[in-house]
Amino acid sequence: MALKIGVVGTGNMGQYHIQRLATSISNAQVVALSDVDVEQAKRVAEAAGEARVYSDGHQLIGDDEVEAVIVASPGFTHEEYTLACIAAGKPVLCEKPLAPTTDACLRVLDAEAGRSDRLVQVGFMRRYDDGYRAMKASLDAGHVGSPLLMHCAHRNPAPPPGFTSDMMLTDSVVHEIDVSRWLLGQEIIAATVFTPRRSSLAAEPLQDPQLVLLETDGGVLIDVESFVSCQYGYDIRCELVGESGTVALPDQVGVRLRQEGRSSTEVPADWRSRFAPAYHAELQEWVDGVLRGEITGPSAWDGYATTAVAERCVEALETGRRAVVDLAERPELYD
Ligand SMILES: NC(=O)c1ccc[n+]([C@@H]2O[C@H](COP(=O)([O-])OP(=O)(O)OC[C@H]3O[C@@H](n4cnc5c(N)ncnc54)[C@H](O)[C@@H]3O)[C@@H](O)[C@H]2O)c1
C-alpha cells in the first residue's frame, strides 16, 4: 500500500525529491507530475517510471489517484497550490517558503486552522539532520542548562545567478530562522542586520557577507553570518550556549586524512551533499506520517512565522534599523 504522490514543479528540487521517491523511499509511488514546462515534466516522468503529466498543477491536485502532493514550484506559486490541496483534503509537503509574504501565509493558515487535523508540512529539512536533532536532544535533556546565545554561520562557495542581497535572508538565513525557533521552542521577536565591508569577491551589487542578529521571546540572542561568496565550500555551523555548557553541530562526517604533515576533512561542495540524509529522512517520515494519518513536520504556522521574520530581516537590511516582528495569534491547531 504505497502512498500515491503527485509532484508540482519538476525543476531542481522537484527532480531531487522525485528521484529519491523513485529509488530509496519506502511505501511511496510518484503517479503524477506537473510543470508549466511540460516537455521537462515529460522527460522527468520517463526517468522516474510511469507518471501522468499535467501542464496545470490544479489538474494534478484534482487527480483522484493522487493521495498526497509535493509542491516544488517557485515560492510565488505555493499559496495557490497549498490552498487547493487543503480544499481537496490532500496532505501537502510544500517546499519552503510556505509563501513569500506574511499575508499569503496567513491565508493558508486561515484555510487550514479550522480543521481538526493538519494537512500542510513545509520543507524545512534541517529539522531532520542528525546533528541538529542531537543538539535538540541534548538541549532538551538539560545538558547545557538554559539557553542564552546561538552562533550560526551559513556559507556557500558562490551564489547562484541572479541571487540578491534580500535572498541571502529570504532563501539562506530562513533555514537558520526555522531551525533556531525549533531548537529553542521560542519565537523570534526582532531582527537587526549588520553589513560589514563587502567581499571583493562578491558579485556586484551583492551585500555579502551580512550579519543578522535575532532576538527571541525567551531572551536568547542569535547571530547568523550569511556569506554566499565564501569560495571554499558549503559550511553550516551552529553552536548553542547555555548557562552550564555549549552544544554545537559536529564537524563534517567522513574520513580524516593525514598526509604530508597535514590532517584534514572534506568541506561539502553544496547543500545537496551536506543535507542529503536530512532530505531522505524528511521525505520518508512525511510518507510514513501521511500513511498513518499524522503530519508532524514543520507546520503552516512554522512557515508563517519564518516568512514573517525573514520579511523583517529584509526591512532591517533596507533601513539599517532593528525591525520588530509582530506575529498573529497562533491558532489552536498548531499548539
Ligand atoms: N528545502 C531546501 O533546502 C530547498 C532547496 C532548493 C530549493 N528549495 C525550494 O524549492 C522550490 C523550487 O526551487 P527550485 O530550485 O527547484 O527551482 P527551479 O526553478 O529549478 O524549478 C521550479 C520549477 O517549477 C516550474 N514552475 C514554474 N511555475 C510553475 C507553476 N505555476 N506551476 C507548476 N510549475 C511551475 C518551473 O518550470 C520549474 O521547472 C522553491 O520554493 C525553493 O525555495 C528548497
Side-chain angles (χ1 to χ4, degrees):
M1 52 123 193
L3 180 69
K4 295 191 169 58
I5 298 171
V7 181
V8 179
T10 59
N12 288 321
M13 209 54 214
Q15 289 182 39
Y16 195 54
H17 286 316
I18 291 161
Q19 204 253 352
R20 183 163 273 122
L21 287 165
T23 56
S24 62
I25 298 293
S26 310
N27 300 324
Q29 186 190 355
V30 178
V31 296
L33 302 179
S34 149
D35 201 296
V36 287
D37 182 346
V38 187
E39 292 311 312
Q40 173 180 271
K42 283 181 183 163
R43 284 193 299 277
V44 176
E46 273 172 33
E50 291 293 301
R52 277 183 295 291
V53 170
Y54 295 102
S55 59
D56 181 350
H58 292 281
Q59 286 176 343
L60 177 144
I61 293 164
D63 180 330
D64 285 340
E65 202 195 5
V66 170
E67 296 171 317
V69 177
I70 294 177
V71 175
S73 44
F76 70 87
T77 68
H78 291 183
E79 176 190 1
E80 59 165 306
Y81 290 136
T82 306
L83 286 174
C85 290
I86 295 170
K90 296 190 180 182
V92 52
L93 172 58
C94 176
E95 261 311 330
K96 62 89 184 160
L98 174 62
T101 67
T102 51
D103 286 348
C105 290
L106 283 170
R107 288 191 284 273
V108 178
L109 277 188
D110 280 350
E112 191 187 39
R115 298 179 54 91
S116 58
D117 57 345
R118 284 179 47 197
L119 288 173
V120 179
Q121 176 167 324
V122 184
F124 287 119
M125 80 301 166
R126 287 205 191 172
R127 299 182 183 206
Y128 298 85
D129 175 69
D130 284 347
Y132 281 115
R133 284 184 158 183
M135 281 183 73
K136 182 156 178 61
S138 191
L139 179 68
D140 291 350
H143 295 160
V144 299
S146 192
L148 301 166
L149 297 163
M150 271 178 76
H151 307 296
C152 310
H154 188 140
R155 299 185 190 139
N156 299 64
F163 210 70
T164 65
S165 299
D166 287 2
M167 289 165 82
M168 289 175 60
L169 302 163
T170 56
D171 270 44
S172 297
V173 174
V174 75
H175 284 289
E176 273 75 18
I177 294 171
D178 176 69
V179 88
S180 56
R181 292 178 56 256
W182 172 72
L183 281 170
L184 296 166
Q186 298 177 15
E187 293 295 358
I188 293 165
I189 56 166
T192 313
V193 179
F194 298 89
T195 51
R197 185 178 73 76
R198 283 184 65 244
S199 164
S200 63
L201 302 176
E204 284 280 3
L206 207 57
Q207 171 52 58
D208 192 21
Q210 299 176 21
L211 190 76
V212 181
L213 189 65
L214 303 170
E215 302 166 43
T216 75
D217 57 3
V220 176
L221 279 186
I222 305 162
D223 59 87
V224 186
E225 171 199 316
S226 179
F227 187 16
V228 296
S229 318
C230 84
Q231 311 294 312
Y232 70 87
Y234 181 74
D235 197 6
I236 299 299
R237 298 178 180 208
C238 181
E239 181 187 29
L240 206 152
V241 180
E243 292 180 6
S244 57
T246 77
V247 59
L249 285 180
D251 279 345
Q252 283 317 292
V253 288
V255 292
R256 172 162 291 279
L257 180 65
R258 290 187 174 82
Q259 187 199 31
E260 294 180 354
R262 301 184 73 84
S263 167
S264 61
T265 54
E266 211 169 299
V267 179
D270 60 22
W271 50 272
R272 281 188 182 81
S273 46
R274 168 63 180 86
F275 284 112
Y279 285 107
H280 180 92
E282 174 193 47
L283 264 189
Q284 188 63 69
E285 291 183 30
W286 178 70
V287 166
D288 294 345
V290 171
L291 287 170
R292 278 198 318 273
E294 201 180 26
I295 293 176
T296 55
S299 67
W301 173 263
D302 296 314
Y304 157 70
T306 304
T307 292
V309 176
E311 260 184 3
R312 297 285 72 76
C313 287
V314 172
E315 178 192 324
L317 175 66
E318 280 166 5
T319 63
R321 287 201 292 273
R322 176 178 181 268
V324 173
V325 181
D326 185 18
L327 289 182
E329 199 171 324
R330 182 154 74 179
E332 262 178 42
L333 181 64
Y334 307 109
D335 285 345

